[in-house]
Amino acid sequence: MSELIACHECDLVQRRVRLPRGGRAKCPRCGSVLYKDRPDSLNRTLALTLAAMLLFIVANSYPFLTFDFKGQATHTTLFGGARQLYVQGDAPVAGLVLLTTIVAPLLHLSLLLYVLLPLRFGHVPLHLAEVFRLYFTNKPWVMLEVFMLGILVAIIKLVGMAEVVLGLGFWGFFALIFVLAWASSTFDTDAMWQRIEEIR
C-alpha cells in the first residue's frame, strides 16, 4: 500500500501512518478524515453483505403488508406495490420505486459480493476498476430509508380506515436497512486495495 495519501478535500499530500485500533487520521490543513482503522473490515463487510442478501430475499419473497378492510384482506409485496402503481398509470413512480427498493439494492449487494468473495479466497476479481466505479455510481440510488419513511406515513394514514398487518417482508426490509448501513460503514476501501496488493 502506498505510504502517501492525498486529502479528498484540500489535496494536501501527506505520509500515511499506522493507526491505533479504532483510530482515525485527519488532515492537518482542513481537518477532514483521511482514513480510519476498521479492524477485520473485509470479513465483517462480507458477513454483513451476506446477511443483507438473505434479508433482501426475505423482504421480496414474503408479504410486505396486509390490509384488512371489512373482512377483505389484501396482501402486497414490494414488487407488487410497484406493479400496482404501473397498472394505475403511474409508470414513472412505479419505475422509481422499483429502481430504489429492488434493482439498486440488489445491484449494490451483488457488486459487493463480486468484490469481497474472491478477495476472501485469495483471488482478484476481473474488471475490478469498472465494478468499483459502478458500485459508487449505484450507491446513491439505494434509498431504502426514504421508502420506509413513506410506508410508515401511509400506514399511519390507513390505520383509521383498515386494519394493517405488518408482514414478514416488512420486518425483513426493516432489518435490511440497518444491516446494509452497517455493511457500508465497515467497508474500508484502503483495506481492500491492501488485500489486492497482497494477493498480487
Side-chain angles (χ1 to χ4, degrees), residues 42 115 119 123-125 128 189-200:
L42 299 185
V115 171
L119 291 179
H123 302 287
V124 178
L128 180 63
T189 54
D190 285 338
M192 183 196 74
W193 292 116
Q194 185 175 7
R195 175 64 175 155
I196 290 169
E197 288 184 10
E198 291 171 357
I199 294 171
R200 288 176 173 169

Side-chain angles (χ1 to χ4, degrees), residues 8-76:
H8 301 293
E9 299 295 330
C10 68
D11 293 328
L12 177 66
V13 177
Q14 47 213 293
R15 191 170 299 279
R16 184 187 295 271
V17 298
R18 185 176 297 278
L19 296 174
R21 188 175 181 84
R24 60 177 61 190
K26 291 187 176 182
C27 176
R29 177 191 287 170
C30 68
S32 62
V33 177
L34 298 172
Y35 55 95
K36 302 176 184 178
D37 175 68
R38 296 182 175 99
D40 202 20
S41 166
L42 299 185
N43 286 330
R44 287 186 180 189
T45 306
L46 177 57
L48 289 166
T49 303
L50 289 170
M53 185 62 85
L54 290 175
L55 289 169
F56 179 85
I57 293 170
V58 169
N60 285 278
S61 300
Y62 292 92
F64 196 82
L65 295 172
T66 299
F67 299 98
D68 192 343
F69 182 69
K70 294 183 179 179
Q72 293 186 340
T74 304
H75 306 281
T76 184

